[in-house]
Amino acid sequence: MKKIYDVIISGAGPSGSLLGYFLSKKNINTLILEKEKFPRYKVCAGGIQWKALQLLPFDITEVIEKEIYGIYFSRKLKDIFYKKYPEPLIYTLDRIKLDDFMSKKALSSGCSINFNEKVRDFEINNDEVKVHTEKNVYFSKILVGADGAGSIIYKKLNKDKKIHKIIGYETEISLNDLSSYPSAGDSIVLDFGGIKKGYLWIFPKNDHLSIGDGGPVKDALNIKKYLLWFLQNYPDVLGKQNFFQNKLINKKIKENVHFLSMAQVNGVGKSKIKSKINAHFINVRSDKTFLCDHRVLSVGDAAGFGDGFTGEGLYNALLSSHIAFESIVHAFSDSIFNFSDYYERTNNEIYKNIKYSLLISKIFFSAPFFYYKMIKNNDNLFNSCAKILRGEKIYSDVVNKLKLIKI
Ligand SMILES: Cc1cc2nc3c(=O)[nH]c(=O)nc-3n(C[C@H](O)[C@H](O)[C@H](O)COP(=O)(O)OP(=O)(O)OC[C@H]3O[C@@H](n4cnc5c(N)ncnc54)[C@H](O)[C@@H]3O)c2cc1C
């Protein structure tokens, strides 16, 4: 029998699940097709901005791990300084838990989710979209690509257009056997200078540290190498800075990290080591990349809504799902399925800021040492950056304050 839905969403990450939740609450018959079985691991530092939390229609306190107030800045583990902010800068969470939690919210609102079912292809016709998975064929009025940086929709509709990509590496250092020691509490680490046009981070969670770095794809090899170097060297250096607050935890992490790094260097298979270094892309939109067309649109990473400076994408993913929801409701009420309102609103509310993020990235990485010193010595600048991290300000506010070019 022909399986017909109002909307089919490819992908049950945060953008897909939030959109599925909203549509189903509005009695729009929605199916999410998700290639993985949840709960599943997702390469991500798991930092979420205060302003992203404001976009969620349900409370996610139970999956928030840490409130972050402080940042240890370093340049290749030297020239370390610490800054604190009176309000939480970001919150950390574990994507295994967040994505599982959000998919359950979508299910509870009446949305159908088929896990373990990958979208393989689709055809857009005048009156409907035909979606092929590895198991089935489905039909819908609208198809939404919420399938992340490797999106099948993004790939097919972008054809040969060049996609600007950032590569990110991440590993998780377990603190499970260290639970009786105080771990890094309410601070993150941001390390610059080891990677051209990128940075390295440590984000603490309840029972592990997420450590990773990212930058331009063409420097992928160096970015991974730098992460390995950092993993071998950071516990000693940061231990002295009170980041781990305890000498014993420092020693234990070093043992753990040494094991991980040696395993990576020697190419030990992933089944043999508990932690490993994982990689994933972040797509950053340009004027020409696909966003929407007749009966089809993309949200989140599948639309290239990654931040060109920090690589963050959760806020834009959730915001694009809000806009997509309103646009889909309009499409059904007007029977016009070209999503021109989605195009305009995301351009104004998301893409404009992405362009500023690319400009900020260009400015910062043209003289990283100079700007590093500026943040170190100028509390006003740090406070402006803190407001951007929280989401109280956007890049254009800082660009305008520094009297730089306007977009
Ligand atoms: C190393 C790294 C660190 C990051 N750290 C942060 C951070 O700290 N803060 C932040 O805000 N952002 C961060 N990001 C970006 C963030 O992870 C993404 O912006 C966010 O996950 C986007 O959500 P999404 O729902 O659009 O896509 P995703 O979370 O990628 O979800 C896509 C879903 O689609 C599924 N899927 C894919 N293909 C198919 C298919 N063909 N058929 C069916 N299902 C499919 C996938 O299994 C997945 O579940 C980071 C990214 C990387 C790579």
Side-chain angles (χ1 to χ4, degrees), residues 1 18 99 147 170 175 181 204 225 228 398:
M1 208 174 72
L18 183 64
D99 292 20
D147 40 3
E170 196 246 4
L175 297 175
Y181 304 110
K225 255 192 202 161
L228 285 169
V398 175

Side-chain angles (χ1 to χ4, degrees), residues 55-327:
L55 291 175
L56 292 168
F58 36 75
D59 183 22
I60 63 158
T61 313
E62 69 181 83
V63 294
I64 296 281
E65 307 244 327
K66 301 269 185 195
E67 289 190 350
I68 303 297
Y69 291 84
I71 304 179
Y72 286 90
F73 289 90
S74 74
R75 286 198 315 122
K76 288 196 197 170
L77 284 176
K78 294 203 172 92
D79 194 6
I80 297 173
F81 66 93
Y82 182 70
K83 296 254 175 187
K84 209 163 177 154
Y85 196 69
E87 310 273 356
L89 289 164
I90 52 163
Y91 301 81
T92 66
L93 39 78
D94 185 342
R95 286 291 301 271
I96 298 178
K97 293 180 199 156
L98 175 77
D99 292 20
D100 193 42
F101 179 88
M102 288 192 62
S103 69
K104 285 187 175 130
K105 284 287 173 193
L107 283 169
S108 72
S109 73
C111 182
S112 305
I113 307 184
N114 290 3
F115 291 102
N116 254 331
E117 192 164 354
K118 184 174 180 170
V119 173
R120 287 274 181 216
D121 201 2
F122 59 91
E123 292 148 46
I124 304 159
N125 302 314
N126 202 27
D127 298 331
E128 63 186 11
V129 185
K130 192 174 177 186
V131 179
H132 301 261
T133 70
E134 20 189 35
K135 300 175 184 168
N136 245 314
V137 176
Y138 301 91
F139 294 85
S140 65
K141 299 283 168 212
I142 294 168
L143 171 65
V144 180
D147 40 3
S151 167
I152 179 145
I153 287 113
Y154 199 64
K155 269 188 207 150
K156 186 167 173 175
L157 297 175
N158 265 309
K159 297 194 181 87
D160 324 319
K161 280 175 215 140
K162 210 172 154 230
I163 300 169
H164 177 66
K165 283 179 190 282
I166 295 173
I167 190 160
Y169 290 96
E170 196 246 4
T171 191
E172 296 187 345
I173 305 294
S174 169
L175 297 175
N176 259 342
D177 55 338
L178 307 170
S179 51
S180 55
Y181 304 110
S183 65
D186 63 356
S187 301
I188 58 170
V189 176
L190 296 179
D191 176 84
F192 294 91
I195 301 155
K196 270 189 209 160
K197 300 183 184 174
Y199 67 97
L200 184 147
W201 74 82
I202 304 181
F203 281 17
K205 315 285 171 69
N206 286 340
D207 62 359
H208 66 271
L209 300 173
S210 160
I211 308 182
D213 60 357
V217 174
K218 65 178 170 52
D219 294 331
L221 218 66
N222 286 334
I223 297 171
K224 186 170 179 187
K225 255 192 202 161
Y226 185 66
L227 180 57
L228 285 169
W229 176 86
F230 188 92
L231 285 170
Q232 279 160 330
N233 292 289
Y234 82 93
D236 276 350
V237 181
L238 289 172
K240 285 186 197 125
Q241 300 291 325
N242 218 20
F243 180 67
F244 299 121
Q245 299 163 24
N246 185 301
K247 275 188 184 159
L248 256 175
I249 199 167
N250 212 12
K251 188 170 165 278
K252 287 235 175 193
I253 285 178
K254 198 164 167 66
E255 283 163 14
N256 197 334
V257 161
H258 181 72
F259 172 63
L260 168 71
S261 313
M262 289 319 289
Q264 291 287 331
V265 169
N266 295 330
V268 175
K270 82 173 174 192
S271 56
K272 294 210 176 130
I273 45 173
K274 224 168 150 195
S275 307
K276 67 177 201 100
I277 294 177
N278 298 287
H280 201 65
F281 294 114
I282 298 158
N283 294 340
V284 184
R285 187 168 163 61
S286 72
D287 286 337
K288 290 181 186 146
T289 45
F290 172 79
L291 188 57
C292 52
D293 207 338
H294 180 64
R295 295 196 182 273
V296 59
L297 69 149
S298 291
V299 291
D301 275 18
F305 287 150
D307 183 298
F309 183 42
T310 64
E312 287 171 299
L314 284 170
Y315 172 73
N316 284 345
L318 301 177
L319 179 57
S320 60
S321 292
H322 271 260
I323 302 172
F325 164 62
E326 285 165 26
S327 186

Side-chain angles (χ1 to χ4, degrees), residues 11 14-15 33-35 40 42 44-45 47 95 119 147 301 313-314:
S15 62
L33 296 164
E34 165 57 54
K35 74 177 166 72
R40 60 93 179 90
K42 160 81 180 82
C44 185
R95 286 291 301 271
V119 173
D147 40 3
D301 275 18
L314 284 170

Side-chain angles (χ1 to χ4, degrees), residues 324-391:
F325 164 62
E326 285 165 26
S327 186
I328 289 170
V329 170
H330 288 157
F332 280 120
S333 72
D334 301 347
S335 294
I336 298 172
F337 295 90
N338 62 12
F339 302 114
S340 56
D341 53 344
Y342 181 70
Y343 186 85
E344 259 169 49
R345 281 193 62 194
T346 52
N347 260 333
N348 278 328
E349 295 173 42
I350 300 176
Y351 183 43
K352 211 167 165 187
N353 209 36
I354 291 174
K355 286 198 214 168
Y356 272 112
S357 75
L358 290 166
L359 177 64
I360 291 269
S361 173
K362 215 171 180 177
I363 294 165
F364 182 87
F365 290 115
S366 66
F369 183 46
F370 171 77
Y371 290 107
Y372 187 85
K373 288 276 178 212
M374 256 178 96
I375 293 172
K376 182 176 179 179
N377 298 324
N378 183 332
D379 280 341
N380 284 339
L381 182 60
F382 172 75
N383 288 338
S384 289
C385 295
K387 288 196 169 87
I388 288 181
L389 268 179
R390 274 177 59 73

